Every structure is written in structure tokens, then in C-alpha cells.
Amino acid sequence: MLGGSGHDTFVLGDVAESYYDNKGGSDVSDAGLIVDFNPDEDFIQLKKLTDGSTYVVAPGPNSTAGNEYTTDILISRPNQPLELIASVQSVKNLNLNDSYFVTSLDGNKKSGIYIY
């Protein structure tokens, strides 16, 4: 997913579903890829989880190779492997409690371009 200039909202889920959740583990070919996220002006929209699952952010597997790094967004479900939802390129230290993460139930549409 590639945003434009100014505020962008990268939509990884809505009220009904998490778009990249195939409930089958961490297959990178089934995950979203965000290539130009700016935590100072952009947003990542996630589905609000209501089934006891939680989101997790972690360094991506190539984060130790030279200057390349990614942050992965995953779903953690009880007694199941982590599900990779998206990788965010060139961004470190994302925090699920920061205001750039929004859920589909927040009710406040963010201004800017929506990227699906």
C-alpha cells in the first residue's frame, strides 16, 4: 500500500473483518505491505477485535539485515499461531496505544486519503 502526500489512512480492517486475516498463520504472501507510513501524519485502521484476540507489533524478520527493517502487525489468538496482518516498511517502534492506530469502531473518520 502506498499513500500520497499528507494524511493517509491505511485500512487493514473494518467493522466486519480484518482484511488480511486468513486465520492460517504468518504467510507473508497473504499480508498487507505498507511502504510509506509516517507516524506523524498517517493512520493505520484495524478491525476492533472482540473475540479475545489481540494485536501485537514486532520487528519483522528482516529487521536485522543491514539498514532494512520492518515492523509486523499480527493477531494473537489463544492456542493458535500468530497471524501476520501487515508489514510496515522502514518504521521502528510502533506502539498499538499511539494515536496513529485507529479501529473501525472509533467513529471518527480521519481526513486524507484512504488506502485499501
Side-chain angles (χ1 to χ4, degrees):
M1 291 181 244
L2 179 64
S5 62
H7 299 289
D8 299 312
T9 299
F10 296 93
V11 181
L12 301 178
D14 61 22
V15 173
E17 66 180 312
S18 181
Y19 297 153
Y20 298 94
D21 182 4
N22 64 8
K23 297 177 178 52
S26 292
D27 185 354
V28 73
S29 67
D30 294 332
L33 177 64
I34 299 172
V35 297
D36 70 337
F37 179 73
N38 179 344
D40 293 327
E41 64 182 16
D42 294 336
F43 301 94
I44 296 174
Q45 179 180 303
L46 303 169
K47 177 187 185 295
K48 183 166 181 72
L49 299 175
T50 58
D51 63 356
S53 301
T54 59
Y55 288 104
V56 176
V57 292
N62 69 345
S63 292
T64 59
N67 292 329
E68 294 293 320
Y69 52 89
T70 61
T71 298
D72 289 345
I73 303 169
L74 307 108
I75 294 178
S76 175
R77 292 186 177 89
N79 305 314
Q80 294 186 23
L82 291 171
E83 172 75 28
L84 178 64
I85 299 299
S87 292
V88 184
Q89 284 186 342
S90 304
V91 177
K92 294 181 182 178
N93 303 318
L94 290 179
N95 184 328
L96 289 166
N97 295 316
D98 282 342
S99 61
Y100 45 76
F101 278 107
V102 297
T103 67
S104 53
L105 297 180
D106 284 344
N108 296 326
K109 281 236 174 197
K110 306 299 181 191
S111 62
I113 299 171
Y114 283 71
I115 296 99
Y116 293 83

